[in-house]
Amino acid sequence: MAKEMQGALAAKHALVYGTLKKNWPLMPVVDGVELTNICNLSCPNCPTPTTQYPRGYATEQTVTLAMRYAAPDSLFSFHRLGEPFLHKSFLHYLRLAGETGLRAVVSTNGTLLNTARMEEMLDARPWSVMVSLHTRKSLEAFARLAEHCFAHNVFPPKFCANLLSHNRDDVFAWADDMQLDSRIRDLFRDVQSHSWAGNVAARKTVYDDAHMQEMVRRCFFIRFNHVNIRWDGSVVACCLDSENITQLGHVHDLPKIRQNPAGYALCRTCDRDWMHD
C-alpha cells in the first residue's frame, strides 16, 4: 500500500509539473528549500553567524510549494544556511519528497543526529546524505551513521562526509584519536572551503570583469534555470546568497519569475573554486 501511495503521489506531481511547464515554459526549476537559517554551530567558513537576514523556519505551505516546482526525479535539497534537523518537521518533509518522486538531498553537521533520527532518516530513503565534519561531534555522529549503514547495508546512493579544507588537519587528528578504520575514512570527501560568494567577510575577494563573466557563463543556476527557496518563501537566484541580494520574488509567484542571464552583483565575489561546469 505504501508503494502504491508513493507511486500515486509521484505520478500526480509529474502531471502537475508537466502542466505548469507547458503553460510557463520559462518557469525556473526549484532545486531545494531552506528549512531554516538558524544553526546550532558557529563556523568560520559560514555566513550564518553574521548574516543580517531575518531568521526563522519554513512553513509547510512554503515547503510543499517548493516541491511543487521541482522537476520530477530531480535532486531536491533541504539545506542552504542553517541546520535542517533544527526544523521539527524535517524528517516528515524528507519522506514526503521521496513519495513525491524527488531525490532528496540531506546535508547536516551531524551533531543532532541521534539513533532514532538516524534510523528515521535512512528509512525515508534519501538519495544523498552528507555530513560536514565541522566538529569532533560531527565526526562521531558520521562514524555511528556509517557503522549502521555497513551493518544493515542501507547506504543512500550518495553517502559521504565533507572534509573541509580549513579544518582538515583537525579532522584527521580526531579520526586518529578515535581510531577510525579505513572503511569510514574512505567515505571522506575533500571540499574546498569557500567564501559563500563573499558573504564570509574574512574570505571575500572582489574579482575583475573577466572573472565575473566566466562565473556567469559557467554558473549552474543561470545555465540550467534553477532557483532556491529560502525559509520565508523568497526566491533567490543563487544557493550562496545569504542576504537575498539576488532575490527574484516569492514562491507563490514562481511561474512568472525569471533568472537573469547576465548574472548578479554577487557573481563578482563568487569563488573560482565554486564555478559549476
Side-chain angles (χ1 to χ4, degrees), residues 133 138-148 150 178 180 184:
L133 303 180
S138 300
L139 180 58
E140 291 170 347
F142 178 73
R144 291 194 302 271
L145 178 60
E147 292 290 1
H148 180 89
F150 282 121
M178 294 164 58
L180 289 189
I184 295 176

Side-chain angles (χ1 to χ4, degrees), residues 2 6 52 89 117 142 144 153 172-173 194 223 230-231 250 252 256:
Q6 180 176 353
Q52 299 302 301
S89 299
R117 287 172 175 163
F142 178 73
R144 291 194 302 271
N153 194 28
F172 281 117
H194 58 101
R223 285 178 63 195
R230 299 216 62 180
W231 69 266
H250 194 276
H252 289 295
K256 301 177 182 179

